[in-house]
Amino acid sequence: MTHGKNNKSIQAFLYASDRERIVTTVIRMGEMAADALQNSVNSLFSHDAVLAQKVILNDDFIDRLEEAVDQECLGSIAMRSPGKEELCFVFGVLKIITDLERIGDQAVNIAEKALKIKCATTFPKKDRILSMLDTVLSMFRHALEAFRTGDREAAFALWKQDDEVDEIYAQCYDEFLATAVAGAAGNHEEVERGAVELWAARHLERAGDHVINIAERVYFMVEGKYFPSREEREKNRKNG
């Protein structure tokens, strides 16, 4: 009986060690992805080719961290006999690192566009897109903290902020269409500039979607199930 208790204690220690190492690496990966997203938008608006190149080159480090976490998770499964809680954690992490890698990809897409923009280009929607960036980064920081602490309530609360990001993108899209119609009369430069702004807003909107995915993975890791449906969420919002 004592031998069995000792084995369980050892297993619990090994799982805790695995989990701590994995969480630390995922947080590092998330912080790099957040920095990449911020730097990509800044490189676009400041016409900073060096910063844009940095975002593109650093994406390899994000990819390597994804591979490292992937191997850690697979090794943990192979070497232990995981129960439901451990499996929920590992499967949640494997999906989270995919979302983090894709946020890095959104940053690269913006940075690549920044390298093609003329230095004289000005952006009328700069403040709005920077506001959108701030919202996404705030969501991102809270999602990473919810992951680190296993806070399902904080994770669940994040879906409300996604509406703010979607609303800003919808405004940018509607205004771009209006500009494009005006461009038919020969205002091609303004249409091109609007397309770049819409491009940036679209990639930020996608990054926001990935952040919500991360929050949902955190909720799954703790609860063993995904967020309530949108219909249930709307009902909960109406009820207070």
Side-chain angles (χ1 to χ4, degrees):
M1 191 66 122
T2 304
H3 181 67
K5 287 183 179 178
N6 287 340
N7 280 343
K8 287 183 179 180
S9 296
I10 292 170
Q11 277 290 78
F13 173 78
L14 292 173
Y15 276 126
S17 178
D18 287 349
R19 189 175 184 126
E20 183 179 356
R21 189 166 55 251
I22 289 169
V23 167
T24 298
T25 308
V26 171
I27 294 296
R28 183 184 173 200
M29 184 180 175
E31 289 172 346
M32 289 187 68
D35 286 345
L37 200 62
Q38 182 164 32
N39 288 338
S40 68
V41 175
N42 289 341
S43 73
L44 176 67
F45 290 140
S46 63
H47 306 289
D48 191 334
V50 174
L51 187 58
Q53 288 285 7
K54 179 182 177 181
V55 171
I56 295 167
L57 292 174
N58 282 352
D59 191 54
D60 286 341
F61 293 105
I62 295 175
D63 291 343
R64 288 175 197 168
L65 287 176
E66 181 189 21
E67 293 171 5
V69 175
D70 188 69
Q71 291 302 311
E72 285 277 1
C73 288
L74 294 177
S76 183
I77 292 174
M79 296 174 65
R80 324 285 184 223
S81 299
K84 179 182 177 181
E85 182 181 344
E86 290 80 18
L87 283 174
C88 285
F89 172 76
V90 170
F91 292 151
V93 166
L94 288 172
K95 291 187 176 183
I96 285 172
I97 59 175
T98 297
D99 283 303
L100 291 176
E101 188 272 336
R102 289 177 180 169
I103 289 172
D105 288 345
Q106 304 306 321
V108 168
N109 288 335
I110 296 172
E112 288 177 341
K113 181 65 71 174
L115 293 174
K116 299 176 182 178
I117 300 302
K118 299 175 184 177
C119 289
T121 302
T122 57
F123 296 98
K125 298 182 183 66
K126 176 181 175 180
D127 289 343
R128 184 178 301 175
I129 293 173
L130 286 176
S131 174
M132 189 178 188
L133 172 66
D134 287 343
T135 300
V136 171
L137 290 176
S138 175
M139 290 166 56
F140 204 171
R141 285 191 293 270
H142 284 98
L144 290 175
E145 181 63 15
F147 167 72
R148 189 183 68 79
T149 60
D151 189 339
R152 70 179 182 88
E153 294 297 334
F156 183 69
L158 281 172
W159 70 267
K160 297 177 182 178
Q161 282 187 276
D162 189 46
D163 291 342
E164 297 176 32
V165 176
D166 292 342
E167 184 177 342
I168 295 174
Y169 175 69
Q171 290 172 355
C172 290
Y173 182 79
D174 290 342
E175 290 176 11
F176 170 72
L177 288 182
T179 302
V181 171
N187 196 3
H188 302 301
E189 184 176 336
E190 187 175 352
V191 173
E192 183 179 358
R193 182 174 57 201
V196 172
E197 291 174 325
L198 184 63
W199 173 276
R202 176 56 175 157
H203 285 298
L204 287 176
E205 190 266 342
R206 287 178 178 174
D209 287 343
H210 288 301
V211 170
I212 294 301
N213 287 346
I214 292 169
E216 187 159 9
R217 314 306 186 200
V218 173
Y219 190 88
F220 173 81
M221 285 163 49
V222 178
E223 290 291 304
K225 60 184 180 181
Y226 290 109
F227 278 172
S229 68
R230 178 171 287 275
E231 290 75 17
E232 291 176 292
R233 298 200 303 255
E234 288 297 330
K235 183 177 179 181
N236 289 337
R237 177 159 59 178
K238 289 177 182 178
N239 291 336

